[in-house]
Amino acid sequence: MRGQRMSIHSMTTWLKRQPPKVKAFLAVISGMAALVLLRFIVHDHDNLFVAAEAVHSLGISVLIYKLIKEKTCAGLSLKSQELTAIFLAVRLYCSFVMEYDIHTLLDFATFVTTMWVIYMIRFKLKASYMEEKDNFAIYYVVIPCAVLALLIHPSTSHHLLNRIFWAFCVYLEAVSVLPQLRVMQNTKIVEPFTAHYVFALGVARFLSCAHWVLQVLDTRGHLLVALGYGLWPPMVLISEIVQTFILADFCYYYVKSVFGGQLVLRLPSGVV
């Protein structure tokens, strides 16, 4: 075990010394290798989406445990939860008027849980809320997402307003975790339950991204054509990739901390 930790420490030390371009290149190569591995291991790629939902649910369960048992919301971003509630509410509306299916029920369950978390942070556990650390201005993401949705949205036969709403929730979901990352960057130290929750989000979004990428490859690009024409199809794929890369840096430090036997995650400057 000690030898394993030494090798991991040597690897992380080597990575720290590399310039940003090399780190970015290694991240891309690692992501591509993971996609190739998943393509051969998972035969039905729809299972990746199911796995993403399961991991996300696990992360929410950890969050619920933290709020009920620990009776503290320290380290959690209220603004991230509010952004999550916004895009889920919009997506639920779009699901009801455009394509009601099983994912609508899953989104509804997540929305109810998210509203409960917001209630707990705002009222029941307000004393432990780190408001001064949760200083990310949400209009920095809401306004650009709204403008982008006005310009680039699906080209289906649905009403224009519904198509704009659908694009808005796709874009907002991709960046909704940014306030949470800002809180963790400001505190520098992330307690275990918050770290587990954010790591679960990262894994879920990677699996969701892998599902989309592999579906595009399996259909030889026909899936993008089915989504419509213009810039919307590639924007959907880009949004999935953005979600993954936003959390990639945190997930790296999380794995490093776990293998190093550290219960509390310490983030260096410049992670976000």
Side-chain angles (χ1 to χ4, degrees):
M1 184 67 179
R2 186 176 180 181
Q4 184 182 15
R5 290 183 180 179
M6 288 291 292
S7 60
I8 294 173
H9 177 72
S10 300
M11 184 180 298
T12 53
T13 302
W14 178 82
L15 283 174
K16 287 180 180 179
R17 294 174 179 174
Q18 303 308 308
K21 289 183 179 180
V22 174
K23 291 180 180 178
F25 174 76
L26 292 174
V28 172
I29 294 299
S30 300
M32 293 175 63
L35 285 175
V36 171
L37 184 63
L38 286 174
R39 188 174 188 182
F40 286 103
I41 292 178
V42 183
H43 299 291
D44 186 356
H45 296 147
D46 284 336
N47 291 334
L48 291 175
F49 189 83
V50 176
E53 293 290 341
V55 174
H56 190 189
S57 300
L58 182 62
I60 293 176
S61 300
V62 171
L63 188 60
I64 292 174
Y65 180 87
K66 170 186 170 69
L67 296 178
I68 294 178
K69 296 297 183 180
E70 301 293 319
K71 297 188 182 302
T72 176
C73 63
L76 292 178
S77 169
L78 174 62
K79 293 180 179 180
S80 260
Q81 297 301 319
E82 290 174 340
L83 289 177
T84 301
I86 291 173
F87 83 72
L88 283 173
V90 175
R91 192 160 71 189
L92 278 170
Y93 163 77
C94 294
S95 295
F96 278 116
V97 300
M98 295 173 70
E99 49 174 12
Y100 183 86
D101 55 19
I102 185 61
H103 301 306
T104 306
L105 297 177
L106 294 174
D107 281 342
F108 179 75
T110 306
F111 175 74
V112 171
T113 306
T114 302
M115 292 302 296
W116 178 82
V117 171
I118 292 174
Y119 169 77
M120 293 293 288
I121 296 176
R122 279 194 173 276
F123 302 104
K124 293 294 185 179
L125 304 174
K126 187 177 180 179
S128 59
Y129 172 50
M130 305 168 68
E131 186 174 1
E132 71 283 356
K133 302 294 184 182
D134 195 10
N135 56 7
F136 188 94
I138 60 175
Y139 57 82
Y140 282 158
V141 293
V142 173
I143 294 178
C145 287
V147 172
L148 193 59
L150 286 171
L151 299 175
I152 305 174
H153 47 263
S155 55
T156 59
S157 59
H158 299 93
H159 191 278
L160 175 61
L161 187 61
N162 294 337
R163 288 184 278 142
I164 293 175
F165 279 160
W166 185 263
F168 173 73
C169 70
V170 169
Y171 300 144
L172 189 61
E173 181 184 14
V175 294
S176 61
V177 76
L178 286 178
Q180 179 62 60
L181 293 179
R182 172 64 68 86
V183 170
M184 295 188 298
Q185 183 63 62
N186 288 337
T187 57
K188 294 293 189 298
I189 297 177
V190 186
E191 56 83 32
F193 289 112
T194 302
H196 298 335
Y197 165 67
V198 178
F199 179 72
L201 288 182
V203 173
R205 291 185 173 182
F206 170 75
L207 292 173
S208 178
C209 179
H211 167 258
W212 273 96
V213 173
L214 293 178
Q215 288 285 77
V216 171
L217 293 175
D218 289 344
T219 60
R220 300 183 184 275
H222 293 300
L223 177 62
L224 294 178
V225 176
L227 291 174
Y229 54 86
L231 294 175
W232 169 246
M235 284 302 294
V236 173
L237 195 57
I238 290 173
S239 296
E240 291 289 338
I241 295 173
V242 166
Q243 291 185 60
T244 303
F245 275 92
I246 283 177
L247 286 167
D249 208 13
F250 171 83
C251 290
Y252 161 74
Y253 285 102
Y254 175 89
V255 173
K256 174 187 173 185
S257 177
V258 170
F259 277 101
Q262 300 175 9
L263 294 178
V264 177
L265 177 60
R266 290 174 171 81
L267 296 177
S269 300
V271 171
V272 182

